[in-house]
Amino acid sequence: MTAAAIGERRLGALPRHWLVVGAILPLLILAAWALLLVGRGAPAAGAQIGQAAPDFALSDLNGNPIRLADLRGRPVIVNFWASWCGPCVEEFPLLQAAQAGHAAEGLAVVGIVFRDNSEAARAFMRRMAAGWPAAMDPGEQVAQSFGIHGPPETFFIDRAGVVRGRQIGQLTSADLERQLALVLATSPQE
């Protein structure tokens, strides 16, 4: 008996329904996966440069309300961060310097805590002597509306509430100055 005949005999020994299942199952799995992807649709693009920033209403780590709409008329930095994020720790002094250096221009900084716990975030804010509010983002709804992938991510919003810049990853001094120029230069009428 040849090898081909032995192979045919073994295949013939399997019940026909197993052969059908073996042929159709991978196709069903592929179809289910495709439906899952189509059902999700494209991920939300998040905040777009030149568009109004997504508004949010959260409570800061002390329970005080924070609404982006309340900051209209001021340039705003919205920084998504976490206490466990090394680049977030490194860029923090730059944000402090920006807030202090542009206080006369009304610059506001708002921190949104991303995938961290409130105790660690509070300890971090105390240790770093932060001068701005930070808020937890239950259910990551604000992060989703901004299209956040992971910390740090920073948005620069002008006085009219329009996103003028986005920094994905750690800010450098040059990045910060370039982005600040975009929001500090605009007036509320623009």
Side-chain angles (χ1 to χ4, degrees), residues 118-173:
S118 59
E119 294 81 23
R122 270 191 208 89
F124 179 85
M125 295 292 281
R126 272 193 307 272
R127 185 174 70 249
M128 299 300 282
W132 59 83
M136 300 303 293
D137 183 13
E140 297 181 9
Q141 293 176 347
V142 175
Q144 289 174 10
S145 70
F146 275 81
I148 300 302
H149 301 291
E153 287 194 42
T154 308
F155 291 82
F156 296 83
I157 302 165
D158 70 13
R159 290 172 169 87
V162 174
V163 176
R164 296 294 175 192
R166 178 180 188 175
Q167 177 74 30
I168 298 174
Q170 183 177 345
L171 285 164
T172 64
S173 287

Side-chain angles (χ1 to χ4, degrees), residues 62-80:
N62 297 317
N64 301 311
I66 300 174
R67 285 197 47 208
L68 186 58
D70 292 343
L71 298 172
R72 184 70 53 94
R74 298 175 64 185
V76 180
I77 296 174
V78 176
N79 178 250
F80 289 84

Side-chain angles (χ1 to χ4, degrees), residues 5 7 18 37 55 78 90 96 107 127-128 130 159:
W18 284 113
L37 290 178
D55 194 16
V78 176
E90 291 178 25
Q96 287 173 309
L107 180 65
R127 185 174 70 249
M128 299 300 282
R159 290 172 169 87

